[in-house]
Amino acid sequence: MSTPPAAVAVIRAAIEDAHLAEILQRPGTTATRAVQALEAAGWTITPSRAPTGPQHAA
């Protein structure tokens, strides 16, 4: 799978805007920030396939 350079740029900018403490202590918040930045840039975020079974956090 090849990631479009524009998407990489949006994700990188979102991560660079996050505080280090957020990245280390709340990575889910940082991931949400990246998704929101992609959506704001016009990208549509959808699952690539349905889950194959129960999804549990590791």
Side-chain angles (χ1 to χ4, degrees), residues 2-51:
S2 140
T3 305
V8 172
V10 171
I11 293 168
R12 181 176 177 161
I15 291 171
E16 288 176 350
D17 287 347
H19 295 165
L20 181 59
E22 177 185 302
I23 294 169
L24 295 175
Q25 297 174 1
R26 296 184 303 274
T29 301
T30 306
T32 300
R33 177 192 299 263
V35 169
Q36 290 171 341
L38 284 168
E39 290 174 336
W43 292 84
T44 301
I45 308 300
T46 59
S48 58
R49 57 187 159 105

